[in-house]
Amino acid sequence: MTDFAARRTMMVDTQVRPSDVTKFPIIDAMLKVAREDFVPAAQREAAYLGENLNLGDGRVLLEPRTLAKMLDGLAIANDELVLDIGSALGYSSAVIAHMAEAVVAVEEDEHMSKEAQETLSAADIDNVIVHHGLLADGAPQHGPYDVVIIEGGVENVPDAIIDQLKVGGRIACLFMSGALGEVRLGYKNDSGVSWRMAFNAGAPVLKGFAREKAFQL
């Protein structure tokens, strides 16, 4: 029988800590959340690999290192409301739920959103709202948010998402340019979002977050 708890510890010790992620809330959450429960049943054995996990239809579960470093940069406090876009089967939201006051998980795939709700409930995580809707629309009815995190590649962040972030709030996005990508952390001020590069990573661009193609004659 597979010892997933041992694999979880190994994931933290070999993928997360060596990436300079040492904040206790992140380490504690990633040790507590059973990642194998938040992946397709056929991929449970691959749940702790140090790479993006293919969920089909251009979607992935971000590798542990990428998620951990995004959370490290965002420095989520326990009184904050977080918008988790592209939450898939709910893993990222489960991890964030251990750090934040509440999480709104946006997922447009109906099957994944339903399964996420069931898995989160089974794990007794009761501070996550799973919102079924277009990723690019966010969930304005539950905002505004202190923190926004996008679980996949982007080329452009829709204004609708930025509008849901409080002034003084933070956002983490994985901006892709071809096969190369970099995670940027943004801080919202009165004039918009000020971005800084954090680290390199990669993931498929999410539907609704691609750059509009320039019109050519």
Side-chain angles (χ1 to χ4, degrees):
M1 186 174 178
T2 302
D3 187 347
F4 284 115
R7 290 192 184 184
R8 197 151 52 248
T9 299
M10 185 176 293
M11 173 193 75
V12 169
D13 288 346
T14 64
Q15 299 177 48
V16 177
R17 293 185 197 272
S19 298
D20 295 325
V21 177
T22 57
K23 291 186 176 75
F24 174 78
I26 300 172
I27 298 296
D28 185 54
M30 296 189 90
L31 285 172
K32 283 179 176 175
V33 177
R35 186 175 167 95
E36 71 274 11
D37 291 342
F38 293 89
V39 303
Q43 301 201 61
R44 283 171 65 87
E45 288 294 327
Y48 292 97
L49 293 179
E51 58 190 46
N52 293 337
L53 190 65
N54 185 7
L55 300 176
D57 196 27
R59 298 289 300 280
V60 298
L61 175 62
L62 292 177
E63 63 172 322
R65 166 191 173 272
T66 299
L67 176 62
K69 287 179 71 66
M70 291 172 89
L71 296 176
D72 186 66
L74 289 169
I76 297 166
N78 60 13
D79 61 349
E80 292 187 312
L81 177 61
V82 180
L83 178 64
D84 185 21
I85 296 175
S87 52
L89 296 171
Y91 175 72
S92 54
S93 296
V95 171
I96 296 167
H98 286 279
M99 294 178 268
E101 181 172 3
V103 184
V104 177
V106 180
E107 180 48 57
E108 64 181 55
D109 182 285
E110 187 173 7
H111 170 74
M112 286 202 289
S113 63
K114 183 174 182 293
E115 189 169 332
Q117 185 64 72
E118 292 171 353
T119 308
L120 288 162
S121 296
D124 292 324
I125 296 173
D126 59 6
N127 61 335
V128 177
I129 296 172
V130 179
H131 174 82
H132 176 229
L134 296 178
L135 303 186
D137 289 346
Q141 62 271 53
H142 299 294
Y145 301 93
D146 300 289
V147 174
V148 175
I149 182 170
I150 301 178
E151 306 289 340
V154 308
E155 292 175 338
N156 174 67
V157 182
D159 290 340
I161 301 299
I162 300 299
D163 290 344
Q164 292 169 49
L165 182 63
K166 292 179 182 178
V167 171
R170 293 94 66 208
I171 181 171
C173 304
L174 172 47
F175 283 87
M176 296 299 298
S177 179
L180 303 174
E182 61 179 39
V183 170
R184 298 176 195 164
L185 299 173
Y187 180 85
K188 187 173 179 181
N189 51 45
D190 291 327
S191 58
V193 175
S194 174
W195 297 95
R196 68 173 177 84
M197 191 273 192
F199 62 95
N200 294 112
V205 175
L206 294 170
K207 188 188 305 179
F209 292 85
R211 187 179 298 108
E212 290 187 14
K213 299 293 189 277
F215 178 74
Q216 293 181 340
L217 294 174

